[in-house]
Amino acid sequence: MNPFSFFSSMALHTLVFSRKQYVSLFLVSLMGVLIMLSAVFVSDGMLRAVHRKAKVYYGGDLMLMGGNEVTRHLGDIPLLRSRLREVVGDDVRFFSRIDLDASESQFFYEGTSVRLRMFKGVDFDDEAELFSTFDFQEGGAFSSPEHDTVLLSTYMARRLGVRVGDMVTLMLITEDRGFTNTMNLRLAGIFADTSLFGAYTAYLDIRAMRIVGDYADDLVNRLCLYYPHDEPDHKDVLAVQEGLERYYKLCPLTDDKQNVYDALRNYKVEDGTLYGIVTLDANVKNLQLLIDAMKAVVALVIVVLVVIISVGMGSTFRIIVMKRVTEIGTYRALGMKPRGVKLLFLTESFYLLLAGFIAGLLCAFGLTALFSLFDFSFIPSFSIFLEGNHLLSAYKIEKSLLLFFIIFVTTELSMLFTIRNVVHISPVGALATTA
């Protein structure tokens, strides 16, 4: 029998037939893992929800802007797309958008008016995959033959008193000449989102946006790159930056979108056209403090629980080992060296931790699944972390295994420290201790 099988069989035999003295250790491991993994799964799910909402709001993973002002026409879009295609994969999608400040515009319906924060002109058919992640309470995202559809949040729809199919009137002040234009739009969908990404944002058919905004038929002020499979890493973003720099002048890559906005605003018309690439992380930088705080809290929970598990099991195991002095003396009398005794107890703790981890993992799955059944939309401004008004978890087995490895290493080190003297006892010493 090989050493692994030998120590495993002895350890499992001890755990099964002396299980009463190990119940408390098993429960400590189970509860620690349960709380730890539940916190990780829920926080990862919250961050995933933020990420998904940001992707729809910003049109994908990368955003290209250009001109001497933020709302400036990007220029020859077909040429831009062809040059971008040279440096990105065939699966990457390009979305043309118009982003417009909506603070000076209003929606009207039967004598009621509301102001929004942002208008986004999009091609609903082109961006169907992105909008499929929306939680629509009514209707959906689609274009009409008249290209007059609009999407509103449940918050705005409730304030206007509208339902899907109703015609709302948009009054918009044009940017170039300050004219006041109006246009009737058909409400195609109402989505549930009370976060800063959705509550005060309206999505219009891009052709309707050009008409009511008095823009050229081909105007685009955002060209968005959407990576449907693997999100772009720094290497991918750098490739796009360097690829475009062969043809255009670009702002330096930055993790703060405000740097790009400022550069575009201050750029002189006579110097030509300046472009800037904004990553999704740069777009959500304003939320980074909140995200970092959430990660810090979860990390603190993990550290505290790892310490509790490792120190608690180490100290408790020492008491158990002290009660097994005669057993240790017998092993030593049979020729087992102190290293072998250590390995035996470490194997026992490994299987105990493994059982607690598996049980805790299964309980975490169950607890977070139960958690996801509750509607949390009643919490103000919390919907940025919700998917369909629910707090859905994100399960990453590799992260769970990493946490198990951390718990295992710290606990085994604690065990080695606490039993380091006991395992060196001689057979005569064991008899003297129990006499």
Side-chain angles (χ1 to χ4, degrees):
M1 180 180 291
N2 62 59
F4 176 76
S5 299
F6 172 73
F7 286 111
S8 292
S9 61
M10 290 189 65
L12 291 172
H13 181 274
T14 302
L15 292 174
V16 171
F17 288 94
S18 303
R19 54 185 175 273
K20 288 186 179 180
Q21 63 181 338
Y22 292 103
V23 169
S24 60
L25 292 177
F26 171 76
L27 291 177
V28 168
S29 177
L30 185 154
M31 292 303 299
V33 171
L34 169 61
I35 298 172
M36 187 186 308
L37 291 183
S38 296
V40 170
F41 292 158
V42 170
S43 63
D44 283 352
M46 293 168 69
L47 294 179
R48 181 186 62 187
V50 172
H51 195 258
R52 286 182 175 177
K53 291 178 187 296
K55 266 199 175 187
V56 177
Y57 186 80
Y58 293 110
D61 301 277
L62 301 178
M63 186 171 67
L64 180 67
M65 301 186 299
N68 65 311
E69 294 177 349
V70 177
T71 55
R72 186 79 175 195
H73 193 326
L74 274 175
D76 192 336
I77 298 301
L79 182 60
L80 265 175
R81 289 183 178 224
S82 65
R83 288 173 173 171
L84 281 169
R85 184 59 68 190
E86 297 174 4
V87 292
V88 300
D90 294 336
D91 62 328
V92 177
R93 305 275 303 281
F94 302 137
F95 300 142
S96 296
R97 283 192 171 195
I98 299 175
D99 276 21
L100 180 63
D101 181 5
S103 59
E104 298 299 321
S105 303
Q106 298 182 66
F107 274 111
F108 291 90
Y109 180 74
E110 294 185 351
T112 302
S113 66
V114 296
R115 291 184 183 272
L116 286 82
R117 188 178 68 85
M118 181 64 67
F119 290 142
K120 290 185 175 287
V122 303
D123 187 325
F124 293 123
D125 295 332
D126 201 26
E127 299 190 31
E129 185 175 350
L130 272 180
F131 282 98
S132 66
T133 64
F134 257 33
D135 177 31
F136 284 103
Q137 301 298 291
E138 293 183 51
F142 56 86
S143 297
S144 67
E146 296 80 16
H147 302 297
D148 62 349
T149 51
V150 62
L151 308 179
L152 293 176
S153 67
T154 52
Y155 175 71
M156 283 299 166
R158 192 179 303 116
R159 287 184 59 186
L160 278 174
V162 292
R163 303 289 300 271
V164 165
D166 290 339
M167 297 295 292
V168 297
T169 301
L170 170 61
M171 185 184 74
L172 182 145
I173 300 175
T174 63
E175 288 186 307
D176 291 342
R177 292 180 285 182
F179 293 164
T180 300
N181 290 348
T182 60
M183 185 177 188
N184 290 328
L185 299 170
R186 186 172 301 280
L187 185 58
I190 300 174
F191 56 91
D193 189 353
T194 58
S195 73
L196 58 89
F197 287 135
Y200 293 91
T201 301
Y203 295 87
L204 286 70
D205 189 299
I206 192 169
R207 283 147 291 203
M209 176 69 82
R210 289 175 180 139
I211 294 172
V212 71
D214 197 19
Y215 295 126
D217 292 341
D218 61 346
L219 183 133
V220 171
N221 64 17
R222 301 288 190 278
L223 184 59
C224 308
L225 282 69
Y226 171 58
Y227 292 68
H229 303 302
D230 297 324
E231 295 181 1
D233 54 21
H234 181 70
K235 182 179 178 181
D236 297 324
V237 178
L238 194 60
V240 174
Q241 175 85 4
E242 293 175 347
L244 287 179
E245 282 179 339
R246 295 200 298 263
Y247 307 102
Y248 309 104
K249 184 172 182 179
L250 267 75
C251 303
L253 281 177
T254 177
D255 61 353
D256 188 346
K257 65 179 179 181
Q258 194 59 46
N259 294 334
V260 177
Y261 280 69
D262 292 341
L264 293 176
R265 285 193 181 97
N266 298 327
Y267 198 67
K268 297 179 181 178
V269 179
E270 55 267 24
D271 292 334
T273 302
L274 177 69
Y275 291 92
I277 294 174
V278 182
T279 64
L280 192 62
D281 288 338
N283 271 319
V284 298
K285 186 175 178 64
N286 293 338
L287 293 172
Q288 199 59 49
L289 182 62
L290 180 60
I291 293 173
D292 290 343
M294 185 190 307
K295 290 180 178 179
V297 170
V298 174
L300 179 62
V301 170
I302 291 174
V303 170
V304 170
L305 290 174
V306 167
V307 171
I308 291 174
I309 293 173
S310 59
V311 174
M313 290 192 68
S315 58
T316 306
F317 228 100
R318 177 180 173 82
I319 298 173
I320 293 175
V321 171
M322 291 293 293
K323 294 179 180 179
R324 296 167 61 182
V325 171
T326 303
E327 182 183 342
I328 295 172
T330 303
Y331 292 147
R332 299 285 283 113
L334 292 173
M336 185 179 290
K337 297 186 180 301
R339 179 184 176 187
V341 179
K342 286 181 183 178
L343 188 57
L344 175 61
F345 288 123
L346 292 178
T347 305
E348 289 180 9
S349 66
F350 167 74
Y351 282 113
L352 190 60
L353 283 172
L354 182 62
F357 174 78
I358 293 174
L361 178 64
L362 295 176
C363 290
F365 285 149
L367 181 63
T368 53
L370 179 64
F371 221 54
S372 68
L373 299 178
F374 296 96
D375 189 329
F376 288 94
S377 59
F378 64 91
I379 303 178
S381 302
F382 193 63
S383 68
I384 192 172
F385 300 115
L386 306 179
E387 297 183 48
N389 292 333
H390 296 275
L391 194 58
L392 303 184
S393 299
Y395 304 109
K396 297 180 180 178
I397 298 301
E398 63 275 11
K399 185 177 288 189
S400 302
L401 293 177
L402 175 62
L403 289 175
F404 172 72
F405 176 76
I406 294 172
I407 295 171
F408 169 71
V409 170
T410 55
T411 302
E412 297 297 78
L413 290 175
S414 176
M415 288 274 298
L416 285 173
F417 179 78
T418 55
I419 68 173
R420 65 190 186 284
N421 296 323
V422 182
V423 297
H424 288 279
I425 193 168
S426 65
V428 175
L431 291 174
T433 302
T434 57

